[in-house]
Amino acid sequence: MKIKDIPKYVCLDTCIYISNKFDFKNKYFSELQKMAKEGKVQLIIVDIIKEEVKRHIRLDIKEKYDKVCTILTSDNLGTAFEDLHKFNKSIEQLENVQNKIIEEFNKYLKN
């Protein structure tokens, strides 16, 4: 067996997903996925990393959501932003965004 025939294993830490802003369709993740499909590498992901990534998705989206809510409810917004005050701050919207990104993560792992 030649060295080139030995499969390469790749395990990405949570920080890689975070630093790529959970964009599972970016060029880096796409290239890694392509290499996995071609059998050049095998992507390994352990349950603890899966759960950490999902937790960070939820936390990061919640943090951004809270910032938007703070901006939209501030008293110093001009009249140009009147419609933004109608922003629905329901937890359902937040969960929908979180679930959509987690769904993209799960799709990425399945391919």
Side-chain angles (χ1 to χ4, degrees):
M1 178 185 289
K2 297 179 183 179
I3 290 182
K4 69 176 185 162
D5 295 329
I6 299 173
K8 311 289 188 278
Y9 297 94
V10 176
C11 181
L12 302 177
D13 188 55
T14 306
C15 66
I16 301 299
Y17 296 101
I18 293 170
S19 67
N20 282 278
K21 298 180 171 118
F22 310 111
D23 180 5
F24 306 108
K25 296 178 182 176
N26 74 17
K27 66 180 182 177
Y28 304 110
F29 287 126
S30 295
E31 183 63 25
L32 183 59
Q33 198 170 47
K34 178 182 170 199
M35 292 171 65
K37 285 180 181 178
E38 293 171 351
K40 294 178 181 177
V41 298
Q42 183 174 354
L43 182 60
I44 306 293
I45 184 159
V46 293
D47 289 340
I48 194 164
I49 291 178
K50 282 182 196 175
E51 294 309 312
E52 276 184 16
V53 170
K54 291 175 184 179
R55 184 175 63 82
H56 278 280
I57 288 170
R58 287 184 184 97
L59 289 173
D60 289 0
I61 296 301
K62 174 78 168 101
E63 181 182 299
K64 286 169 180 48
Y65 181 84
D66 288 345
K67 285 180 183 178
V68 167
C69 290
T70 300
I71 291 168
L72 295 179
T73 57
S74 79
D75 289 334
N76 53 1
L77 287 177
T79 56
F81 295 100
E82 270 182 32
D83 287 339
L84 294 179
H85 283 287
K86 297 175 186 171
F87 178 73
N88 182 355
K89 296 182 280 185
S90 73
I91 197 71
E92 184 179 312
Q93 283 181 315
L94 172 64
E95 290 172 349
N96 286 342
V97 172
Q98 292 169 332
N99 290 336
K100 183 178 180 202
I101 296 172
I102 289 171
E103 183 180 314
E104 289 297 319
F105 176 59
N106 289 332
K107 282 181 190 174
Y108 178 78
L109 296 178
K110 288 180 183 177
N111 290 328

